[in-house]
Amino acid sequence: QVQLVESGGGLVQAGGSLRLSCAASGRTFRDYAMGWFRQAPGKEREFVAAISWSGSSTYYTGSVKGRFTISRDDAKNTVYLQMNSLKPEDTAVYYCAADKTRTDTAQPMAYTTRNIDYWGQGTQVTVSS
């Protein structure tokens, strides 16, 4: 069993930065690819970024590429999402996820959620214009 707890959300002006953290319980954190998703009001949940279990592979949705960076610290059982140059359209609840895919690539999480075993409860990010 893995529990995921996100933190770091808040209110920021457009152009600003935030760093989200997702702390995982359990000793098997390093076995999972980790990802970030977001859901804006009235919209479906969408993929944002993912990192493979080894950390060697990352993948981003096009709208955040070059602005967001995903990273992981296995010693701290934590995955991060550094968000720079934030835009009002980045406003959403952000969720982290643990994916059991064992191939060392982050890309699958962008196209399917069937291998996601665990979700966090979400953290709100609001970007004002």
Side-chain angles (χ1 to χ4, degrees):
Q1 184 79 9
V2 174
Q3 289 187 320
L4 305 175
V5 179
E6 301 98 333
S7 61
L11 173 64
V12 64
Q13 287 190 329
S17 298
L18 283 174
R19 188 176 81 154
L20 305 184
S21 299
C22 173
S25 65
R27 295 185 224 175
T28 59
F29 175 77
R30 63 176 61 243
D31 292 342
Y32 288 90
M34 299 297 296
W36 288 94
F37 292 75
R38 65 187 180 187
Q39 187 167 19
K43 295 188 177 181
E44 292 187 353
R45 188 175 299 187
E46 65 171 353
F47 169 81
V48 176
I51 187 166
S52 64
W53 65 268
S54 74
S56 64
S57 171
T58 58
Y59 194 76
Y60 300 90
T61 192
S63 62
V64 309
K65 202 172 296 184
R67 300 189 297 123
F68 292 10
T69 302
I70 188 171
S71 61
R72 64 188 297 158
D73 184 338
D74 288 349
K76 296 182 178 180
N77 280 9
T78 301
V79 62
Y80 303 98
L81 186 68
Q82 179 67 44
M83 305 186 295
N84 299 328
S85 302
L86 282 161
K87 304 175 181 180
E89 51 263 44
D90 294 318
T91 295
V93 177
Y94 283 71
Y95 300 88
C96 72
D99 182 304
K100 64 186 176 186
T101 300
R102 288 303 294 165
T103 56
D104 200 13
T105 174
Q107 193 170 354
M109 209 181 306
Y111 301 102
T112 178
T113 58
R114 68 172 184 264
N115 293 317
I116 291 176
D117 281 348
Y118 303 102
W119 292 92
Q121 84 290 348
T123 186
Q124 176 71 47
V125 172
T126 303
V127 184
S128 63
S129 57

